[in-house]
Amino acid sequence: MSRWTFRTATILTVLVYVQTCIAQNFSAFFIFGDSLADVGNNNYITTISKADYEPVGIDFGKPTGRFTNGRTVDDMLGQALGFKSFPPPYLAPTTVGPVVLKGVNYASGSSGILDASGANYIGRISMNKQLENFEKTRMEIISSIGGPAAETLLATSLFAVTTGSNDFINNYLLPHLLKKEPQEKFIRRMISTYRKQLTRLYYRGARMIMVANVPPIGCCPNQRDLNPSSGQECAEFPNLLARQFNQRLKRMVKELTVTLEGSRFIYADVYHIFHDIVQNYKLYGFEIADKACCSMLGIHGGLLPCLQQSNVCPDRSKYIFWDWFHVTESAYAIIAKRLFDGEPDDISPTNIRMLSETSNMI
């Protein structure tokens, strides 16, 4: 634990240093997932799940569609890897032509592994639809540079997938779903679907794929407020679901690496990293671990999203959580650092720095 007791300012400084020292070894960076990774795709669809208004993005300089006050983990990883710009949202009208050769972001707030997840927000781009969108980008790349060059570009690119939280929060745990299937059956269905999706990504050219597990969702302000009997602790049942899913996910990621020739799947244990941050928040320089910085309603600020009328804390670096579900840029910075340089408890079988250094061996 002592080697990770950095203050947030130190983490940010390290990321800037890394950005200037690491060559861009990956050809491109392609991103899939939910609101933890969305950088604006939901701006272009009809949905309740939006982040294109103030005060969201207050430390980014403007609202962009990122569901936080600043940058996301993927933003920081891309900077640390030497990319000069963030992968743009797929649905942006400017995401065409040569720009796609450096990567694209397909993530969508409220989406999940299962197509039904997030339906309570009306619109969202499910993981299956995100893969369809990537296939269109792939054909565009082939048309631009030819089949062999496109194959090489994709094989030497980094793919990041962050999904699964909404399958619980905005599906299985919704209070109006009174008739639920047994949790083991639901998780098996998630894993079976996810296996097909990751395999599909592989057969479309991806070789180096970082798969982030589900974080301790019971620690977010929303689940704390919806489970008041937990007191000052994280809500246990949502966290139990996440752990059960993550155990199966880790086994599945290992199996895919063995069965899919030439693949290099990386398991990012975000649950482990983030649980450590929440439990030891003072060691990381935080002062508030259980309340949303941008809030309106709820003991923990977890009963409404960050809205234009919300109260915003003056010092975001002291808060772990930005809003009812998402964390601050300061917390994301710690997660990004540990994915970039972390040991096997954080990310396995290798971290992003080491993967980058061997990416040209494919």
Side-chain angles (χ1 to χ4, degrees):
M1 174 61 210
S2 60
R3 62 184 179 277
W4 297 115
T5 55
F6 304 116
R7 291 186 63 84
T8 301
T10 304
I11 296 294
L12 290 170
T13 301
V14 169
L15 280 174
V16 171
Y17 174 77
V18 168
Q19 180 184 348
T20 62
C21 295
I22 298 297
Q24 185 192 303
N25 294 322
F26 292 114
S27 299
F29 190 12
F30 296 92
I31 300 166
F32 303 78
D34 52 31
S35 57
L36 300 178
D38 191 354
V39 296
N41 281 305
N42 277 23
N43 296 353
Y44 301 95
I45 64 175
T46 301
T47 178
I48 301 172
S49 181
K50 292 279 192 179
D52 58 351
Y53 52 83
E54 296 179 349
V56 186
I58 188 172
D59 296 305
F60 196 88
K62 62 180 181 179
T64 61
R66 289 167 171 81
F67 289 76
T68 182
N69 61 304
R71 294 168 295 165
T72 68
V73 168
D74 292 318
D75 287 336
M76 296 179 194
L77 289 178
Q79 288 179 317
L81 289 168
F83 288 97
K84 303 303 181 185
S85 59
F86 302 125
Y90 171 79
L91 291 181
T94 53
T95 306
V96 293
V99 68
V100 305
L101 300 178
K102 286 299 179 182
V104 177
N105 186 309
Y106 303 89
S108 170
S110 79
S111 69
I113 295 168
L114 304 176
D115 289 345
S117 297
N120 50 315
Y121 284 93
I122 305 175
R124 72 277 183 215
I125 309 168
S126 70
M127 187 62 189
N128 282 325
K129 182 62 178 177
Q130 290 179 41
L131 290 170
E132 289 180 21
N133 291 339
F134 168 68
E135 288 165 352
K136 294 175 184 176
T137 299
R138 176 177 174 271
M139 293 307 299
E140 186 177 346
I141 293 173
I142 291 173
S143 297
S144 175
I145 63 176
E151 181 180 351
T152 298
L153 183 147
L154 295 176
T156 54
S157 295
L158 176 63
F159 289 75
V161 188
T162 305
T163 188
S165 295
N166 286 312
D167 295 283
F168 295 118
I169 292 175
N170 289 306
N171 188 337
Y172 193 77
L173 290 171
L174 289 176
H176 68 271
L177 294 179
L178 300 178
K179 190 176 181 180
K180 300 181 190 296
E181 62 186 301
Q183 63 198 62
E184 282 294 323
K185 183 178 179 182
F186 183 79
I187 290 172
R188 284 198 303 271
R189 185 154 61 93
M190 284 178 64
I191 290 293
S192 174
T193 304
Y194 205 5
R195 182 190 298 272
K196 293 175 184 176
Q197 291 166 345
L198 292 173
T199 301
R200 181 179 175 183
L201 192 58
Y202 167 85
Y203 280 113
R204 295 300 179 270
R207 291 297 179 269
M208 293 179 284
I209 306 171
M210 181 184 74
V211 181
N213 67 6
V214 173
I217 53 179
C219 296
C220 71
N222 172 263
Q223 291 300 303
R224 287 178 187 264
D225 275 338
L226 292 180
N227 296 275
S229 61
S230 299
Q232 299 301 311
E233 302 300 321
C234 299
E236 178 53 27
F237 184 59
N239 281 355
L240 174 63
L241 291 174
R243 291 195 300 271
Q244 291 176 337
F245 171 78
N246 290 341
Q247 289 171 0
R248 289 178 175 270
L249 178 64
K250 188 173 185 178
R251 290 198 299 269
M252 186 256 281
V253 167
K254 289 181 179 180
E255 291 167 3
L256 288 177
T257 300
V258 172
T259 58
L260 299 178
E261 183 179 359
S263 66
R264 300 183 68 182
F265 283 88
I266 306 298
Y267 180 75
D269 198 343
V270 178
Y271 187 105
H272 167 74
I273 297 171
F274 193 68
H275 190 263
D276 177 36
I277 296 171
V278 171
Q279 294 300 311
N280 301 288
Y281 66 96
K282 290 184 179 179
L283 295 175
Y284 290 97
F286 296 108
E287 294 178 1
I288 309 295
D290 63 340
K291 294 181 175 63
C293 166
C294 183
S295 64
M296 281 187 68
L297 186 64
I299 295 174
H300 301 279
L303 297 181
L304 284 175
C306 180
L307 301 171
Q308 290 173 308
Q309 303 85 3
S310 298
N311 298 313
V312 179
C313 63
D315 189 350
R316 273 77 67 185
S317 71
K318 300 303 180 184
Y319 280 71
I320 290 180
F321 287 96
W322 162 246
D323 63 13
W324 59 346
F325 290 126
H326 311 96
V327 303
T328 59
E329 182 182 63
S330 297
Y332 278 144
I334 299 171
I335 297 170
K337 169 59 183 170
R338 289 177 65 163
L339 294 180
F340 196 81
D341 278 320
E343 297 185 4
D345 283 349
D346 292 339
I347 183 167
S348 61
T350 186
N351 59 41
I352 299 301
R353 179 192 291 273
M354 291 189 288
L355 183 65
S356 171
E357 291 171 351
T358 59
S359 62
N360 58 359
M361 296 181 182
I362 293 204

